[in-house]
Amino acid sequence: MKRFQKSYVIFSIMVFLKMALILYFGLLILQYPLIGIDVEHKNGKWVVGQVYDKGWASKNQIEKGDIIQAINGIDPGEHKTVARFNYVEKAKSITIVDQQANTNTYAISYKDVDIQYFMYLFLPLLLCLATFFLGLYFYCANKEESSAMILICFLFSLGLCYLSAPVSARADLVGRMTVTVTFPGSLVLLIHFLKSYFSKHHLEFVKDRMINILYIAYFLVLTSHFFFNGEPRAFTRMVELGFFILLVCLLLFLLARLYYKYKHSEGKTIIQILLTAFVIAFSPFIILYAIPHIFWGKGFVSAELASMFLLVIPLAFVYLQRAKKLFDIEFLLGRLQYYALLSFALTTFAIIILITVFDMKILSGSAFLFFFLFFIVAILFLYIKEYIDYRLRHHLFCQKNHVEANLHNFFQKAKHETKVNGFIASLLREIKEVLRVKEVHYINIQENKDLNRWIVKNQQEFSFSEEIEQVNWRNCHPGSLIEVQTGFCVVIGEHYHVKEIIFCGLKKYKTTLNIQEKIWLENIAYFSSVLLENFKLIEGLFEEIEHYHKTRQNENDSYPSWLSRLLFSLSEKERMNLSIDLHDTILQDQLQLLRDIEAIKTKMTDPYLKESMYHVKETILDNIHLIRETCNELRPPFLSELGLIQSIQNLIERVKLRSNFLLHADLDPTIQRMVPEDELTVYRVIQELLNNAMKHSKASEVSISLKKINRGFMLSYIDNGIGIRMSELNDSFKTMGIYGIKERVRSMGGKIKIESAQNQGLKVQILYRQGDNEIDQSVNCG
């Protein structure tokens, strides 16, 4: 509670201070335009030393060397900004004697410098208010977190820094003190916040010692202002800008290092968004103002203009706070490389035209500013164009052939094909209908290394084989589009030194394919190659099964082990789907019906109806229990979570509750995890043995033993039931359970031994060793 009160007091003070400064700075900017005159005291006179480009003085032909006679009707030396900083600012009128000895008195107003309203008031005020309300929002949402208070300090500091900069340029003491404190301090607070934020998520952004060093360096920069006044202020300005550049570089380096360290974690997208936002926000100020100011004493653009991109920072924080789904930053950055290359070429061409036509100097600030702004606008235009193309593609492009719709429709129809020839015939028809070409052919070509060329294998069906054979197809893969004299060839398959291609003749009037049609043809060829390969695998599978049936020695032969494994895998998948369907539909309906009966029962007063409703409720409870048991049998519960031994133990406990025989179980707890398919096989075998014992054996005592052996296990089952005739073991219709057990054991590569006789019980022994693949010799029915 005390901590909450303390943070509330601190936050209230910050809010009051920021609102007071916003009001003060806003009124001062509204009242006084930026004049932009630097004066020197020479021979008892105040002489204009420098006139700044963006101020009121540059718009009124005031030049270096003019004499300031009066400011607001009084001696210039008595004006506060002149006496304190040698700047002529915060004045309503000024009297000047020019170099031709003409005396002029000017009334200073925004009439000739309307752009200052936008540059020095609207944009800074917009950012300042945005950071202010964002700080209020973060305080209301996360008032108890220390990192939130650091973030709020950073946002308030950033907004005040931007708004106080034009006030500082007007030689206001409060403005200069504010910008001096907030300019480097905002970045130190940002690094401190990120350290606290990432630490909360167990990510090391920067060590505590580094934060302490940054604060010490920050206070050293502040103290430099107490030792340098007047002319040496240029040095302190260089120190401020240099320290700011170092902080930005450190911030970007730390974020980049954090990204590469945790690029495989879920938080990498947030790091990427922050890194991109900070690069966009700080790069223009550093490149266009800070670095040129350090080396040449003047930025390419004004600090206010270069700082416009700081608006990106509060927008990024708002997005991260509010967004439930993050946009794909990697996709945007990947596009940025391509768009930047196009924009750079276009911007370079544009700047060359300007230099040639308008005789603009290439190293001038206006040329550099134009290059930068044109470059940024071009990149944004390409992003916007891509979005508009996607939204309006049905209206912008010719839909005569509906190539995109046909691509989707074709694969919807192709999923019903099962044979290679049928699929290829459908593909040829689709290409001919969509592209409106005269002819389409399916061709096989084979490499002849002796002749060092490719030969068309089905020349009798195709009359353009010569120009096809002249192409070197070695490096052409599925989806590759090759243009020949009489049409187009696209690869749809390859196998060793054989290529499968589709030849398309020219369209009507012998016109070539347009870009959209080429893209469509490449896409349909590539995806068709995948389907074609699968169709061939399926056909090969059917042919192998058919060949196996034809070569069977007798009716008692079992399926190959790989086929058994496949069939069991498909069966388990269907069991799982059925279990999910039962659980999500019938079971939920029964539970809802049970709740409805409970609700109706509470409203009943008739004892007979209550008794009847009770019996209905019990019946529904029995049905729910039965459905759950069925779901458990269809899909072994928690087999992957609990492991094989615990799952079998749970199965045995359920069997004990339902059976009328004594069940002894000896399960070796040292058996470790096996392949999931093998674990499921063992579970199903034991489940089937116990089901047979309950349904058919009429046994009074059953024993199950599962022991670990070298590289495997041994499973033993013994009961004292009625047994079975050994002659019936291979009859899958009479002993479906035993037959299924044998096939399951064979599919996993195990050996099974079955001993039984009429009224002498049943004994089953299963041996499995990892790596033992002699499956076909593994069945030994005693």
Side-chain angles (χ1 to χ4, degrees):
M1 186 69 181
K2 290 182 179 179
R3 181 179 177 182
F4 170 74
Q5 292 177 346
K6 183 179 178 181
S7 64
Y8 177 77
V9 172
I10 294 174
F11 181 73
S12 300
I13 294 173
M14 289 194 302
V15 169
F16 175 77
L17 181 62
K18 177 152 186 174
M19 289 301 298
L21 289 175
I22 289 176
L23 184 62
Y24 174 75
F25 293 156
L27 291 175
L28 192 145
I29 295 173
L30 277 174
Q31 186 177 5
Y32 299 110
L34 179 66
I35 298 174
I37 298 178
D38 186 359
V39 295
E40 300 174 356
H41 194 248
K42 295 181 180 179
N43 301 323
K45 298 180 180 179
W46 291 96
V47 181
V48 176
Q50 186 176 355
V51 178
Y52 295 99
D53 294 338
K54 307 299 180 182
W56 169 90
S58 64
K59 304 293 183 181
N60 288 271
Q61 290 79 43
I62 297 174
E63 300 176 352
K64 182 178 180 180
D66 291 347
I67 298 173
I68 308 296
Q69 194 174 62
I71 300 175
N72 294 337
I74 63 174
D75 182 78
E78 298 178 11
H79 191 67
K80 290 182 179 180
T81 62
V82 175
R84 184 173 293 162
F85 301 110
N86 287 351
Y87 291 159
V88 178
E89 293 293 346
K90 296 202 295 186
K92 289 297 184 178
S93 66
I94 184 172
T95 302
I96 294 179
V97 180
D98 60 25
Q99 297 179 29
Q100 287 76 34
N102 297 320
T103 302
N104 296 300
T105 299
Y106 298 91
I108 300 172
S109 68
Y110 277 105
K111 182 174 62 174
D112 300 323
V113 285
D114 292 337
I115 189 65
Q116 286 196 19
Y117 274 120
F118 180 78
M119 292 296 302
Y120 300 133
L121 179 61
F122 177 74
L123 285 179
L125 192 60
L126 177 64
L127 176 64
C128 198
L129 291 176
T131 55
F132 175 73
F133 288 112
L134 186 58
L136 291 178
Y137 170 75
F138 281 131
Y139 178 78
C140 295
N142 308 284
K143 64 182 69 176
E144 296 182 0
E145 295 186 12
S146 58
S147 60
M149 291 302 297
I150 302 173
L151 176 60
I152 293 168
C153 290
F154 159 70
L155 291 172
F156 282 10
S157 178
L158 180 68
L160 287 175
C161 179
Y162 195 8
L163 185 59
S164 62
V167 178
S168 175
R170 286 161 171 76
D172 181 78
L173 183 60
V174 177
R176 291 210 166 180
M177 291 177 61
T178 303
V179 77
T180 299
V181 171
T182 58
F183 180 61
S186 58
L187 271 181
V188 176
L189 287 170
L190 177 58
I191 296 174
H192 190 178
F193 161 72
L194 292 176
K195 186 263 179 190
S196 177
Y197 174 78
F198 287 121
S199 296
K200 188 174 62 176
H201 294 83
H202 308 291
L203 303 177
E204 185 180 8
F205 179 67
V206 67
K207 296 184 181 297
D208 292 333
R209 184 175 62 181
M210 177 61 73
I211 296 296
N212 295 333
I213 292 174
L214 290 178
Y215 277 112
I216 292 172
Y218 166 64
F219 285 114
L220 289 176
V221 171
L222 287 184
T223 54
S224 68
H225 290 273
F226 295 99
F227 297 99
F228 297 98
N229 294 299
E231 191 65 30
R233 174 169 168 75
F235 171 76
T236 60
R237 186 61 174 165
M238 289 179 60
V239 171
E240 287 179 355
L241 292 174
F243 184 58
F244 185 84
I245 293 173
L246 288 176
L247 288 176
V248 172
C249 293
L250 176 64
L251 171 64
L252 299 181
F253 167 76
L254 293 174
L255 279 174
R257 185 183 67 175
L258 189 71
Y259 170 74
Y260 284 109
K261 187 175 181 180
Y262 300 101
K263 61 182 178 181
H264 299 298
S265 66
E266 293 183 357
K268 72 168 187 176
T269 303
I270 295 177
I271 301 173
Q272 279 183 303
I273 292 174
L274 289 174
L275 183 59
T276 304
F278 294 150
V279 169
I280 295 174
F282 295 118
S283 293
F285 180 83
I286 292 176
I287 296 173
L288 298 178
Y289 180 78
I291 294 177
H293 196 282
I294 290 175
F295 289 98
W296 296 289
K298 182 180 180 182
F300 292 134
V301 299
S302 66
E304 291 77 15
L305 183 62
S307 303
M308 286 172 52
F309 291 88
L310 291 176
L311 282 167
V312 174
I313 295 178
L315 291 177
F317 281 119
V318 169
Y319 173 78
L320 290 175
Q321 177 72 15
R322 300 295 299 169
K324 296 181 180 179
K325 297 179 180 179
L326 301 178
F327 59 78
D328 191 349
I329 186 69
E330 290 186 355
F331 172 79
L332 295 177
L333 293 178
R335 280 285 197 272
L336 180 62
Q337 300 176 8
Y338 174 62
Y339 290 161
L341 182 62
L342 293 178
S343 301
F344 183 82
L346 179 62
T347 307
T348 303
F349 176 75
I351 201 73
I352 290 174
I353 296 296
L354 285 175
I355 293 171
T356 304
V357 175
F358 298 101
D359 195 25
M360 182 186 292
K361 294 181 179 180
I362 192 170
L363 295 178
S364 66
S366 57
F368 197 87
L369 176 61
F370 175 82
F371 183 92
F372 181 81
L373 292 179
F374 194 94
F375 179 70
I376 297 298
V377 170
I379 292 176
L380 293 176
F381 171 77
L382 291 173
Y383 275 113
I384 295 170
K385 176 187 177 298
E386 183 180 37
Y387 177 77
I388 293 175
D389 287 349
Y390 171 75
R391 300 297 298 180
L392 303 179
R393 64 191 185 279
H394 299 295
H395 306 286
L396 294 176
F397 305 112
C398 176
Q399 295 297 311
K400 177 179 63 176
N401 297 325
H402 299 283
V403 290
E404 292 181 357
N406 276 284
L407 187 65
H408 176 267
N409 294 334
F410 170 71
F411 287 112
Q412 287 295 317
K413 293 183 290 184
K415 67 182 181 181
H416 301 294
E417 295 285 351
T418 57
K419 295 185 177 295
V420 172
N421 291 336
F423 174 73
I424 291 177
S426 299
L427 179 61
L428 295 177
R429 286 195 304 269
E430 188 73 14
I431 293 175
K432 192 170 185 178
E433 291 175 3
V434 173
L435 300 183
R436 306 294 183 184
V437 293
K438 294 182 179 179
E439 51 185 332
V440 182
H441 299 280
Y442 169 72
I443 306 168
N444 281 311
I445 56 175
Q446 185 172 8
E447 185 178 16
N448 189 322
K449 293 188 176 180
D450 296 333
L451 300 177
N452 195 23
R453 60 180 297 186
W454 292 78
I455 305 298
V456 177
K457 297 175 65 175
N458 50 344
Q459 293 187 13
Q460 66 278 6
E461 303 172 9
F462 185 64
S463 58
F464 303 105
S465 58
E466 291 186 5
E467 58 179 325
I468 301 296
E469 293 174 350
Q470 292 175 1
V471 178
N472 182 9
W473 296 94
R474 182 169 300 171
N475 296 322
C476 297
H477 304 290
S480 300
L481 183 64
I482 304 297
E483 186 174 0
V484 294
Q485 186 66 31
T486 55
F488 292 85
C489 297
V490 63
V491 181
I492 63 168
E494 59 182 350
H495 183 69
Y496 294 107
H497 300 290
V498 177
K499 303 279 186 180
E500 298 170 84
I501 65 174
I502 299 289
F503 171 82
C504 308
L506 296 175
K507 294 194 296 183
K508 191 177 180 180
Y509 306 118
K510 294 186 177 181
T511 57
T512 185
L513 301 179
N514 58 48
I515 293 178
Q516 192 180 8
E517 290 169 334
K518 289 180 180 178
I519 294 174
W520 176 85
L521 187 57
E522 289 175 347
N523 286 334
I524 199 172
Y526 177 77
F527 291 116
S528 295
S529 69
V530 178
L531 287 176
L532 192 61
E533 184 177 354
N534 291 332
F535 286 147
K536 288 180 180 179
L537 291 174
I538 293 172
E539 280 194 356
L541 175 62
F542 282 131
E543 289 175 0
E544 189 171 346
I545 294 173
E546 187 176 350
H547 173 74
Y548 170 77
H549 280 292
K550 289 180 180 179
T551 56
R552 291 175 66 181
Q553 297 296 324
N554 53 67
E555 291 298 323
N556 292 328
D557 283 348
S558 299
Y559 287 107
S561 60
W562 62 266
L563 181 57
S564 296
R565 201 173 185 89
L566 174 63
L567 294 176
F568 282 126
S569 176
L570 294 173
S571 173
E572 291 296 339
K573 184 176 180 181
E574 292 303 318
R575 283 169 176 256
M576 183 181 68
N577 292 336
L578 180 57
S579 173
I580 293 173
D581 290 340
L582 287 173
H583 182 274
D584 294 344
T585 55
I586 298 176
L587 180 58
Q588 301 305 316
D589 291 342
Q590 295 290 312
L591 291 173
Q592 183 60 46
L593 183 60
L594 183 64
R595 296 188 196 99
D596 294 341
I597 289 176
E598 287 285 356
I600 295 172
K601 186 180 175 182
T602 57
K603 300 177 182 179
M604 287 183 174
T605 55
D606 190 328
Y608 175 76
L609 290 178
K610 275 193 171 184
E611 181 70 17
S612 300
M613 194 63 71
Y614 172 79
H615 290 300
V616 173
K617 175 185 172 183
E618 290 299 313
T619 303
I620 294 175
L621 285 173
D622 291 340
N623 290 338
I624 290 173
H625 178 73
L626 180 61
I627 294 171
R628 281 179 171 155
E629 286 293 316
T630 304
C631 290
N632 290 339
E633 290 183 2
L634 288 171
R635 181 178 57 173
F638 309 118
L639 183 59
S640 59
E641 291 83 359
L642 299 178
L644 178 62
I645 299 300
Q646 185 61 49
S647 297
I648 295 174
Q649 187 65 50
N650 293 346
L651 172 63
I652 290 172
E653 295 298 329
R654 294 199 302 271
V655 171
K656 286 181 177 180
L657 294 175
R658 294 184 294 172
S659 63
N660 55 3
F661 52 74
L662 292 176
L663 178 56
H664 306 283
D666 184 10
L667 306 177
D668 190 346
T670 63
I671 295 179
Q672 301 296 321
R673 290 274 187 179
M674 297 185 291
V675 177
E677 291 81 0
D678 292 343
E679 286 187 343
L680 183 59
T681 298
V682 175
Y683 183 89
R684 289 299 188 198
V685 166
I686 295 176
Q687 185 182 43
E688 189 60 41
L689 287 171
L690 294 176
N691 284 339
N692 284 340
M694 287 190 293
K695 295 177 182 178
H696 308 298
S697 71
K698 299 181 181 180
S700 61
E701 192 170 351
V702 175
S703 296
I704 287 281
S705 173
L706 182 62
K707 296 291 185 181
K708 181 180 180 181
I709 61 173
N710 185 28
R711 296 187 300 112
F713 63 86
M714 177 180 288
L715 172 64
S716 299
Y717 168 88
I718 301 174
D719 71 38
N720 61 354
I722 61 176
I724 57 176
R725 294 177 182 176
M726 299 302 296
S727 59
E728 297 177 353
L729 277 177
N730 292 324
D731 191 337
S732 61
F733 292 99
K734 293 181 180 179
T735 58
M736 182 66 73
I738 299 297
Y739 179 80
I741 291 171
K742 289 166 56 179
E743 288 300 318
R744 284 188 182 273
V745 173
R746 290 181 64 255
S747 71
M748 72 180 295
K751 299 179 181 180
I752 182 171
K753 183 178 181 180
I754 302 175
E755 297 177 0
S756 183
Q758 196 72 26
N759 297 319
Q760 293 186 13
L762 175 66
K763 182 178 181 180
V764 180
Q765 190 176 68
I766 297 170
L767 179 65
Y768 170 77
R769 285 191 178 92
Q770 189 176 4
D772 189 356
N773 295 323
E774 297 178 359
I775 302 172
D776 291 333
Q777 290 84 32
S778 64
V779 180
N780 180 14
C781 301

